[in-house]
């Protein structure tokens, strides 16, 4: 992976991601939304397979709006889930946990957001 960090936005969760020697990723995260701004005090460890799983789930949802996305990090710091309604409106929840706090909020967007997210994940995996 390139030594340059990659920035990814997942519905308000802004991650600055760097590769690790174990072929995973380490990220610092800030969530901005619903009047809140929360930053992780600890680094989030994300396995390559976890990024690939999120990308697969998003790509499946392109062809079948009834598919649900549910993604979490193994360390339990991020739990993200959403569905698309028949018009393509995304509705979901994100739960973030750090050493000193826990935060959960609703997410809303439209399906036009998903290609941008998928592209960011593909670039991360190629970096």
């Amino acid at each position: 992976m390139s030594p340059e960090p990659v920035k990814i936005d997942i519905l308000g969760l802004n991650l600055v991601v760097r590769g690790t020697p174990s072929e995973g990723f380490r990220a610092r995260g800030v969530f901005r939304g619903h009047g809140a701004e929360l930053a992780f005090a600890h680094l989030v460890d994300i396995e390559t397979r976890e990024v690939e799983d999120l990308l697969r789930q998003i790509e499946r949802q392109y062809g079948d709006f009834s598919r649900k996305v549910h993604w979490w990090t193994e360390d339990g710091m991020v739990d993200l889930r959403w569905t698309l309604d028949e018009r393509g409106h995304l509705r979901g929840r994100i739960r973030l946990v750090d050493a000193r706090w826990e935060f959960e909020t609703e997410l809303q967007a439209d399906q036009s957001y998903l290609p941008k997210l998928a592209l960011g994940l593909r670039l991360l995996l190629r970096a």
Side-chain angles (χ1 to χ4, degrees):
M1 170 149 198
S2 165
E4 293 298 312
V6 175
K7 295 179 183 179
I8 297 178
D9 172 40
I10 304 174
L11 298 164
L13 176 61
N14 299 288
L15 297 174
V16 177
V17 185
R18 294 182 187 272
T20 64
S22 65
E23 303 216 12
F25 303 96
R26 184 158 282 164
R28 290 205 179 275
V30 176
F31 178 80
R32 292 181 180 95
H34 300 281
E37 181 171 313
L38 301 167
F40 288 104
H42 298 88
L43 294 174
V44 179
D45 288 315
I46 304 170
E47 299 287 328
T48 300
R49 66 179 166 68
E50 292 172 324
V51 175
E52 292 167 341
D53 178 54
L54 178 56
L55 179 58
R56 264 191 308 277
Q57 290 186 58
I58 291 167
E59 289 175 338
R60 284 186 204 134
Q61 207 171 44
Y62 287 162
D64 183 356
F65 280 8
S66 68
R67 294 263 196 182
K68 296 178 181 181
V69 169
H70 183 199
W71 181 77
W72 63 92
T73 57
E74 201 167 285
D75 60 13
M77 291 180 80
V78 179
D79 187 318
L80 175 67
R81 56 186 79 211
W82 72 75
T83 59
L84 296 176
D85 66 20
E86 64 280 351
R87 292 179 290 173
H89 293 109
L90 182 149
R91 305 233 188 274
R93 298 198 68 72
I94 187 168
R95 182 173 172 266
L96 306 170
V97 178
D98 197 5
R100 296 180 312 248
W101 52 261
E102 183 175 323
F103 176 77
E104 187 169 349
T105 191
E106 292 183 18
L107 300 171
Q108 294 183 18
D110 65 47
Q111 81 277 11
S112 66
Y113 174 81
L114 296 178
K116 176 184 170 190
L117 175 55
L119 177 61
L121 295 173
R122 280 190 207 103
L123 291 173
L124 177 62
L125 291 167
R126 287 185 194 158

